[in-house]
Each structure stands twice: as C-alpha cells, then as structure tokens.
Amino acid sequence: MKIKNIFLVGLASFGMASCNDYLETEAPSKLTDDYVFSTAEEANRLLNGVYQATCSSNTYGNAYLTTFCLNSDVEFTTSSAELKSASHNEWKLFDGEADGSGLESTWNAVYAAVERANNFVNAAENSDLYKSGNEDLNQMIGEAKCIRAMNYLDAVILWGDIPFSLTRTYDNESLIMPVASRDVILSTLIEDLRSAAPKMKMASKITEGVERCSKEFAWSLIARMSLFRGGYSLRHNDGDTKGYKMERPADYLDYYKIARTYADSVIKSGSHNLTKDYFTVFVDESNYKVATGDDPIFEIPFVQDVNGNIGYIHGPKGDESSAGGTEGKNIWGKSSGSVGLNAFYRFTFDSEDSRRNTIGYWSYSYDGTPVAVASYNNYCNKWSKFWDEAGTLGKNSSGNTGVNFPYMRYADVLLMFAEADNEIEGKPTDEAKAALKAVRERAFRSANNKSDKVDAYVDAASTKEAFFDLIVKERAWEFGGENIRWKDLIRWNMYNKVVYQQFWKYYGMGCDRDDSYDYEGIFNKLPGVCFYKVLSRDSLNKYPEKYTAEKYPELASYPNKTLDVLEFFRYDSDDLTIVNLWDNFGMNVDYMPSEVGSDAWSKVTFFSWLDDETGIAKAPCRCSLRGYIYIDVYGVITPASMPEFNSLDVLETLPPVRYMLPYPTDAITKSQGAYKNYYGY
C-alpha cells in the first residue's frame, strides 16, 4: 500500500502524540512508556504521523519553497514596495522582523515534526518489539531519525543556533528546550544517522520505495549535513546582539571527509542512476508516478486534496474564470506559478542543455489560451498541474496537489561527492570528474556535440579552483526552483557577492541597459522586443519537420500535449540565425516579422524596466533586495555604507547578508528569558 494512502489513518492514530507548540505546558505528549508497540504494523501506522507532520504547508508543503526561498541568481521574487511591509515577513528581501507573519507557524511546524519523531523513537526504543531485535522496527526508527534530522537541518540553516533535543517532551525536566549551537546540533545528528543507517533497508527493499526514508537517503542526508557542518554560516559576535560575520568551523575538512565517504557509499551501492531524461523526472512526479532506482532518493509523499502545493506554485500561472474554475479544454484548474526564477538565469544555460527547457515563458487564461509573460522573472516549469495527463485534480482545483517533492536526488549526491573530493584532494580527481560528468551527460544527452559539453568541458578544469567553479555553476543549473541555491551560496561564503551582483544587474538593466553596471557584458545581447504567435496543438503536431527539438526545444519538450503553446519568432538564413526568445535583433531590424496582415505576429517587450518619470529603474529593480541594498527614487543608496558598483574589486569589501531569521516573538516570550534574538533583530 502506498504511504500516502495510509497517511490519514496514521495521522488519526498519532494525533495525540505531538504538541502544536513545543512550549505548551498542557499535556505535551501522551505517547508514554505505557503505550506499547505490539506489532510492526501498529508502529508503521504511528510512523505515518511523523511523515504527515513533515508535509505541513508551513514547511515543506509550501512555505519552504515560497516564503523562505530566498532571492539569488536562480530563484528570485520581486517587490515594488519602497518601505518595509507591515506584516514584517519579507524574508526573501532580508527585511523581516521577529513578529513577522508566518514565522511562528513555520517554527511551530518544525518542532511539531521533531516532537512526533522524538515520540516515536523514544517509545519504539523502549518497546519489547525493539528489544527483540525486530528488523522492521529498526528500519522505522531510522526513518523517524531521518525525518527528525532533515527538519533540524533546515531549521539550522534558517535560524542558526536553535532549541535542540532528541528526547520527547514527556521525559524532559523542563518544557523549555535548551538552545544548542549549530555545530553541536549537526554533529549530533550526523552521528545519530551513522548509527541508524546500518539497520535500515535500501529503497528497493521497501514497499513504498522512495516515498520512505531508506539507507541511501540516510547516507545522502549525512553527506548534506556534513557539508553544511563544514561550510560557512552567519554567526553573531560574542555578547553582541547586533553584530554578525560569516565563519566556518576550524574542523571543516573533517566533515568534508564524512560527506565524501557517505556520498561515495550511495554511488558505489548502484541503487540509483540518472537513466530518465531530466525533465521526465519531474513530469513523472506531476503524474503521480513513483520510480525507485532513478534520480529521486527520497520524495516527500504528499496526498492529493490534502497537502502539498508542488505543481501549483510551480509551472505556468493558470487563471480561473470569474465564475471560478477553468473551462473548455483547460481541465487543470487554477495554479499560482509563484515560484519565480531570476530573469537572467535562463541566459546562463548552454543552448543544448536540456535543463533550460524547464523554464517557462507563458501563462494560461481560464480557457487554456497561452499568454506571453514579460515580467521580472520566469516560471519554474519542472512540476505543474498542467503536466498531469489525466487532469486528476479537476477544473475547480487549486492547491493541495499531492505531487511529491524530491527532497534528495542522486544528482545532488554526485555533485556533493565531486565538491567534497575536490576540496579534500586540492585538485579534481578522476572520481570527482566522473561524478560531474554523470550529471552533465544527462543534461546533454541529446546534444549534437555531447563529448564537448561533457568530457572536454570537465577535463578542461585542471585546478581545484577551476573545478570548484564548475560545481558552483552546475548546481545552479541542476537545482533551479528547488530552494537549494541560496543555501549553497551561504556555505560557500558567496551569498553577499551574488546578491550584490544581482541587484546591479536588475538595476542596470532597468536604467535603460546602463553598461556601467554590466559587469558581464550581456545587456545589449539580450532580447528586447520578442515576437510570437499562438500555436495550436494541431499545428504543432502537423508540422514535426518544422518544429524540431533542435530548433524549438521549448516546444518539442513541452509536457502538456493538449493546450496551445507560443511559437517565438526565429529567422534562419545561410549566414544568419536569430532566435528571438534568446537574441537581440541589434542592427538586424529588417528581419523583424510583420505585425499586420495574414501572417501577423504579436510582440512582447522584455526588460522594459525603465521608469520614464524618474529616469531610473522601476521599483522592482530597486526594492527586491531591500534589506541588503536599496536605491530610492532619487538614486540614493541604502545603507549609505554600501558601495556603488564600479568594478568587480568591490565584491571583496561587501558586508554579509543578514539571511538568518529571528526567533518568533512568541517563542521568546514563552521561554521566560532563555531565548533572545541576535543579528540586529
């Protein structure tokens, strides 16, 4: 039986076993030693309650992919507000406060999941079933420990030093959980999983497959935690509630070695591969297909019409009619498309990289008509309700898609291994190169010159620094829309540089492509006016010799085979090719298509970001990183100490980004003075 089919039973059975707020004083836990795990089947039902807590919309089901997916060179959400929001929750802009809306609910959701895991582990390890050496129960204990570790890891990334305990509230002397340092927390969790993993099963031996935590997921999670344990993070100055700096622990290399060991264990196990094409992995998830042995190592198992907004917040925005729902051939209902990708991100890809095809350029009206979008970002089209061939959720649906999210992928393990090995050895080894090549092989599987894009590309990096640069770029291309990029940049101590550069890219492009801010020399190469036509699905199917994957990859790979799409203008001659979605016409304006007549093309203008009234960039280009750097309508930079861009040398003088979240006000109040905020909150 699939795990999601028995979630609700597990939730009902386990409902009394967790507390809504870990600081509550009333009946914190009712799963005591008096409760007996009489059978593995009974334990399994209770374990489903642990999984269910992890599916909360306040964490993995929505908030982690939207509210707390911070802006970077990959994911990017804009704001036109010149002043801080009254809700104090603009975390993506680094401009929130301790009373920010949504902060407390996410904090409580994390600790509710942790409490359920602690309840399960403690009760299970005190049961007669455990004492008898039951293998199934040992597997389940490992699963609960994995769920606990991933919740703690992602909380540590967001908050740094946090309240920490592996003991259920029932057994604690105090209801106020003590704060532990992030280093102690991650080291403890790593050792906890190193002990649990040997007793766990491979995904192929588990009925639910990758919808349950497996041995290889435990190994992968150890590797991920180790890289964060050994990476940089924002740390407050001793005794100073306002100051902060970026530091990494002195023993970081020890943890890179652990990361390499456990990533290598996954690789050598042969339990996963990258056989499926890149886009297919996510399209299959959108069609509720669960495959064991390919890229996904652990998928968070959401339930249709119950939880999970994957494919609602991702993919093209889909409007509903004024009466509600969608009509005609649009059978997929409403979608928000709120996970935005940086407007410049798509131009970083090689033209033959299949991962570029997961970026979206049009939305849909209620009747299924495609609408060109010229915004400050693009859609992340990895998952979408529109990809579900059966239209399972129906015309009147919105969120709670039940589409699984791949929390851990094999591609990540390969890249973690390559990164750790390069850092340890001080140069790219053959093993590290092979891991990186495996990821790129899938991306360029259909490329005409695959060997150049894979083997030659990787082999050209002969130094530690050059190979690390390849890893940095590869992880950007591989994990778009998965809430990984900003976290990587933090542990590499690159976040302030990237945030600063993105600000000036948006601002410079908004200032009529001001080349004084164009440190990459790309502004005048990017398309301005872009011509397009609505292309019916019948026409697309009728002329396969025209709409080839080589010339129109965004159409050939498009997963929805029912709705119309947009054809973007392309000019081809013996000596000139202009692909309007990617190229600026420049001096070749004579080749622009007609906007009138029987062969009329519509047009949309990209990067029209200049405010004619102020003469500088529009608000979204100035306000979207407001908590770190902001320029007002008069051109004044805030903070005053922030340097204006004039060369790449300025990157070495930048202050760190205050990405850390504050403890919620309510948690501080209930802690009776045990907790306090740092980082200037």
Side-chain angles (χ1 to χ4, degrees):
M1 181 183 296
K2 291 293 184 186
I3 188 171
K4 56 182 65 180
N5 294 333
I6 55 177
F7 253 165
L8 298 181
V9 176
L11 180 59
S13 301
F14 211 17
M16 298 187 301
S18 64
C19 54
N20 293 325
D21 184 333
Y22 82 98
L23 288 172
E24 281 185 340
T25 58
E26 298 87 4
S29 174
K30 296 181 181 177
L31 185 58
T32 70
D33 290 340
D34 295 330
Y35 194 98
V36 179
F37 284 73
S38 58
T39 66
E41 289 75 16
E42 188 173 71
N44 190 51
R45 287 196 297 272
L46 297 178
L47 179 62
N48 282 321
V50 181
Y51 280 96
Q52 181 68 16
T54 299
C55 294
S56 169
S57 63
N58 293 312
T59 53
Y60 299 99
N62 186 79
Y64 278 172
L65 294 166
T66 53
T67 306
F68 301 107
C69 183
L70 307 189
N71 282 343
S72 71
D73 55 341
V74 175
E75 293 92 0
F76 203 91
T77 301
T78 56
S79 171
S80 59
E82 305 279 351
L83 301 175
K84 179 179 293 188
S85 165
S87 61
H88 293 172
N89 66 346
E90 295 172 300
W91 312 113
K92 298 179 183 182
L93 283 58
F94 321 112
D95 208 10
E97 297 293 345
D99 61 350
S101 63
L103 185 66
E104 183 182 351
S105 58
T106 293
W107 174 274
N108 286 341
V110 169
Y111 283 99
V114 166
E115 178 70 1
R116 289 194 182 193
N118 284 346
N119 284 338
F120 183 90
V121 172
N122 281 264
E125 290 182 342
N126 281 295
S127 70
D128 290 337
L129 198 61
Y130 176 75
K131 294 172 185 176
S132 70
N134 186 279
E135 292 183 0
D136 290 335
L137 186 59
N138 282 330
Q139 162 65 22
M140 285 184 267
I141 290 172
E143 292 179 55
K145 288 185 174 184
C146 284
I147 294 295
R148 178 171 66 188
M150 63 182 272
N151 274 276
Y152 267 135
L153 169 62
D154 292 316
V156 161
I157 294 170
L158 286 171
W159 280 284
D161 305 335
I162 57 173
F164 177 68
S165 176
L166 300 184
T167 305
R168 56 189 176 184
T169 306
Y170 176 82
D171 293 329
N172 287 334
E173 293 182 3
S174 171
L175 293 177
I176 300 173
M177 192 183 294
V179 172
S181 78
R182 68 204 70 181
D183 297 335
V184 168
I185 293 171
L186 294 182
S187 295
T188 301
L189 294 171
I190 288 166
E191 292 307 312
D192 192 41
L193 288 194
R194 291 177 82 174
S195 297
K199 299 178 182 179
M200 296 181 70
K201 301 176 182 179
M202 304 298 282
S204 61
K205 303 298 183 182
I206 301 172
T207 302
E208 298 84 5
V210 297
E211 289 187 303
R212 295 286 284 257
C213 300
S214 61
K215 184 191 293 284
E216 56 263 53
F217 175 56
W219 288 340
S220 305
L221 190 53
I222 291 169
R224 180 179 287 179
M225 288 192 295
S226 296
L227 288 182
F228 279 100
R229 172 61 174 79
Y232 286 87
S233 65
L234 194 69
R235 297 172 186 259
H236 60 79
N237 299 327
D238 292 340
D240 181 1
T241 59
K242 295 184 178 180
Y244 45 83
K245 56 194 173 185
M246 291 293 290
E247 285 185 340
R248 81 187 316 173
D251 59 354
Y252 77 93
L253 205 56
D254 294 339
Y255 287 90
Y256 270 70
K257 291 176 181 177
I258 294 173
R260 178 175 68 173
T261 295
Y262 281 90
D264 190 46
S265 294
V266 179
I267 295 169
K268 288 181 176 175
S269 74
S271 58
H272 289 268
N273 56 59
L274 301 180
T275 300
K276 287 186 181 181
D277 289 340
Y278 183 77
F279 207 166
T280 302
V281 171
F282 310 106
V283 173
D284 280 355
E285 287 171 336
S286 300
N287 280 275
Y288 306 101
K289 297 177 182 178
V290 179
T292 297
D294 205 85
D295 193 8
I297 290 177
F298 173 58
E299 295 183 354
I300 299 176
F302 295 107
V303 184
Q304 288 179 23
D305 297 318
V306 175
N307 52 33
N309 278 341
I310 315 305
Y312 170 74
I313 55 178
H314 301 87
K317 182 177 184 290
D319 292 330
E320 60 182 355
S321 70
S322 57
T326 54
E327 299 178 4
K329 58 185 176 182
N330 185 356
I331 62 173
W332 287 273
K334 179 183 178 181
S335 58
S336 73
S338 57
V339 175
L341 298 175
N342 190 304
F344 300 97
Y345 175 56
R346 67 184 177 104
F347 298 102
T348 66
F349 286 85
D350 185 284
S351 62
E352 293 194 85
D353 190 333
S354 64
R355 295 171 294 195
R356 189 175 73 167
N357 299 332
T358 63
I359 300 174
Y361 313 105
W362 61 83
S363 63
Y364 281 105
S365 65
Y366 70 93
D367 63 355
T369 301
V371 180
V373 175
S375 184
Y376 297 89
N377 46 33
N378 297 113
Y379 296 121
C380 173
N381 275 6
K382 284 183 174 177
W383 305 272
S384 177
K385 295 169 65 178
F386 289 110
W387 306 165
D388 177 18
E389 296 173 4
T392 305
L393 298 170
K395 293 184 176 183
N396 295 309
S397 65
S398 54
N400 292 332
T401 61
V403 172
N404 286 354
F405 179 74
Y407 180 82
M408 185 68 72
R409 297 202 279 116
Y410 184 55
D412 198 352
V413 172
L414 289 165
L415 294 177
M416 286 193 290
F417 173 83
E419 177 187 342
D421 188 68
N422 183 58
E423 183 69 26
I424 294 163
E425 300 300 331
K427 62 180 181 180
T429 64
D430 289 343
E431 291 80 6
K433 289 181 179 180
L436 176 54
K437 287 178 181 179
V439 175
R440 288 187 65 81
E441 189 283 328
R442 179 176 63 174
F444 290 93
R445 188 167 289 164
S446 300
N448 292 323
N449 53 348
K450 186 173 75 170
S451 62
D452 292 340
K453 304 299 183 181
V454 180
D455 295 329
Y457 174 88
V458 174
D459 291 338
S462 59
T463 66
K464 172 187 174 183
E465 293 74 20
F467 191 76
F468 175 70
D469 185 57
L470 297 191
I471 294 293
V472 170
K473 293 175 181 177
E474 202 68 31
R475 291 187 67 85
W477 297 322
E478 182 68 25
F479 301 116
E482 298 183 47
N483 192 26
I484 289 178
R485 183 57 170 181
W486 68 273
K487 301 174 185 178
D488 281 343
L489 293 171
I490 285 165
R491 62 183 182 82
W492 295 328
N493 196 22
M494 296 174 62
Y495 198 33
N496 58 342
K497 298 179 179 66
V498 170
V499 167
Y500 181 83
Q501 288 174 299
Q502 298 315 302
F503 177 85
W504 291 108
K505 285 176 81 168
Y506 270 87
Y507 183 76
M509 199 68 171
C511 291
D512 202 19
R513 305 188 185 223
D514 187 336
D515 60 9
S516 63
Y517 303 116
D518 187 12
Y519 59 90
E520 294 176 314
I522 62 170
F523 284 0
N524 291 320
K525 298 177 183 178
L526 304 184
V529 174
C530 188
F531 295 90
Y532 69 93
K533 285 182 177 181
V534 174
L535 181 66
S536 71
R537 177 54 60 176
D538 289 342
S539 296
L540 184 59
N541 294 336
K542 186 176 180 180
Y543 302 106
E545 69 283 354
K546 175 182 178 181
Y547 299 109
T548 63
E550 181 178 359
K551 290 188 174 182
Y552 296 91
E554 71 279 2
L555 300 184
S557 64
Y558 199 69
N560 187 295
K561 305 303 181 185
T562 300
L563 297 178
D564 296 343
V565 294
L566 293 187
E567 174 190 355
F568 292 97
F569 179 74
R570 177 187 177 101
Y571 175 82
D572 281 302
S573 69
D574 292 339
D575 55 0
L576 178 65
T577 295
I578 300 173
V579 184
N580 199 188
L581 184 59
W582 305 101
D583 301 328
N584 193 320
F585 279 96
M587 302 297 292
N588 299 302
V589 293
D590 291 343
Y591 299 111
M592 288 183 176
S594 174
E595 297 177 59
V596 297
S598 59
D599 190 33
W601 290 73
S602 301
K603 71 177 180 181
V604 63
T605 303
F606 294 139
F607 305 110
S608 181
W609 297 347
L610 177 67
D611 189 324
D612 293 330
E613 292 186 8
T614 64
I616 62 174
K618 292 179 180 178
C621 298
R622 300 182 287 103
C623 302
S624 297
L625 298 166
R626 186 192 328 114
Y628 184 68
I629 179 172
Y630 160 69
I631 292 181
D632 66 16
V633 293
Y634 304 105
V636 178
I637 301 176
T638 301
S641 58
M642 185 68 71
E644 183 174 3
F645 179 82
N646 51 38
S647 75
L648 292 177
D649 293 339
V650 77
L651 299 180
E652 303 306 319
T653 69
L654 299 174
V657 178
R658 187 183 70 162
Y659 68 87
M660 284 285 185
L661 304 183
Y663 296 158
T665 299
D666 189 60
I668 292 177
T669 301
K670 290 182 177 180
S671 76
Q672 302 173 21
Y675 307 159
K676 65 178 179 180
N677 272 320
Y678 293 87
Y679 314 109
Y681 286 113

